[in-house]
């Protein structure tokens, strides 16, 4: 979970309520310990689909090449989902139902392997862009530090 203990916003409490109602509890992965993002991404890479409301679950699943169904609880979820629009779907919480999930799966499944490969490539491109941004920011910081050192 990414949020714990906040009043009316405790992921563990919500997950427990979902698990109580789930008919296929034996097929649901519920991990309570904190894991590094690389470990989570690797673990999520084994899933066929991820349905998520928390932003980082969607980002890590997409980075692993797993199609996602994002629940738009905040605008940032829609923003991220728009970046992978051909490989995932965003739904409003009020629209989330068994039938909306089934409809998504039925639309996605016929070209599953092709879409998953495209999603992996899109994730790799985002990672390359992030590295370029990091390199640029690092270069700017080095120039700033060198100028500050020259002045002293």
């Amino acid at each position: 979970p990414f949020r714990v203990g906040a009043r009316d916003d405790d992921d563990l409490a919500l997950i427990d309520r979902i698990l109580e109602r789930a008919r296929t509890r034996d097929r649901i992965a519920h991990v309570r310990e904190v894991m590094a993002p690389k470990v989570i991404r690797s673990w999520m890479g084994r899933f066929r689909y991820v349905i998520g409301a928390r932003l980082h679950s969607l980002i890590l699943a997409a980075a692993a090449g797993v199609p996602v169904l994002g629940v738009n609880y905040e605008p940032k979820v829609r923003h991220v989902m728009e970046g992978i629009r051909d490989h995932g779907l965003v739904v409003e919480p009020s629209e989330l139902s068994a039938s909306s999930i089934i409809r998504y799966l039925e639309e996605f499944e016929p070209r599953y392997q092709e879409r998953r490969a495209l999603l992996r490539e899109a994730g790799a491109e985002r990672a390359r862009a992030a590295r370029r941004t990091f390199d640029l920011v690092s270069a700017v910081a080095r120039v700033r530090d060198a100028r500050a050192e020259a002045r002293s």
Side-chain angles (χ1 to χ4, degrees), residues 22-79:
R23 294 185 193 146
T24 58
R25 257 180 255 161
D26 59 320
R27 296 178 62 197
I28 297 173
H30 179 205
V31 178
R32 289 183 178 263
E33 68 264 12
V34 175
M35 295 186 291
K38 277 186 170 181
V39 174
I40 296 170
R41 188 180 66 216
S42 173
W43 185 64
M44 285 183 152
R46 295 184 236 155
F47 299 162
R48 188 157 184 90
Y49 294 95
V50 168
I51 300 170
R54 294 295 183 202
L55 183 65
H56 292 92
S57 67
L58 301 171
I59 291 170
L60 291 169
V66 177
V68 293
L69 176 64
V71 181
N72 187 37
Y73 76 100
E74 287 187 11
K76 61 186 178 182
V77 171
R78 180 168 297 283
H79 176 74

Side-chain angles (χ1 to χ4, degrees), residues 18-145:
I18 291 169
L19 288 173
E20 287 171 9
R21 296 179 183 177
R23 294 185 193 146
T24 58
R25 257 180 255 161
D26 59 320
R27 296 178 62 197
I28 297 173
H30 179 205
V31 178
R32 289 183 178 263
E33 68 264 12
V34 175
M35 295 186 291
K38 277 186 170 181
V39 174
I40 296 170
R41 188 180 66 216
S42 173
W43 185 64
M44 285 183 152
R46 295 184 236 155
F47 299 162
R48 188 157 184 90
Y49 294 95
V50 168
I51 300 170
R54 294 295 183 202
L55 183 65
H56 292 92
S57 67
L58 301 171
I59 291 170
L60 291 169
V66 177
V68 293
L69 176 64
V71 181
N72 187 37
Y73 76 100
E74 287 187 11
K76 61 186 178 182
V77 171
R78 180 168 297 283
H79 176 74
V80 165
M81 293 303 296
E82 285 173 356
I84 58 169
R85 68 182 159 272
D86 296 332
H87 318 296
L89 179 71
V90 62
V91 297
E92 299 301 320
S94 61
E95 298 170 1
L96 187 63
S97 65
S99 61
S100 68
I101 294 170
I102 290 168
R103 189 170 50 253
Y104 167 68
L105 296 176
E106 287 174 343
E107 289 174 14
F108 204 93
E109 199 61 30
R111 294 178 41 220
Y112 178 85
Q113 292 301 333
E114 174 189 352
R115 288 179 165 181
R116 188 160 176 159
L118 291 169
L119 185 55
R120 278 191 200 109
E121 179 52 38
E125 177 52 38
R126 277 189 210 84
R128 287 188 293 271
R131 279 191 292 278
R132 286 190 302 268
T133 300
F134 178 80
D135 291 344
L136 178 62
V137 169
S138 294
V140 169
R142 282 192 302 275
V143 168
R144 181 202 62 208
D145 293 347

Side-chain angles (χ1 to χ4, degrees), residues 5-25:
R7 187 180 178 135
D8 299 326
D9 195 15
D10 186 333
D11 287 353
L12 291 177
L14 176 61
I15 290 167
D16 287 341
R17 289 198 309 270
I18 291 169
L19 288 173
E20 287 171 9
R21 296 179 183 177
R23 294 185 193 146
T24 58
R25 257 180 255 161

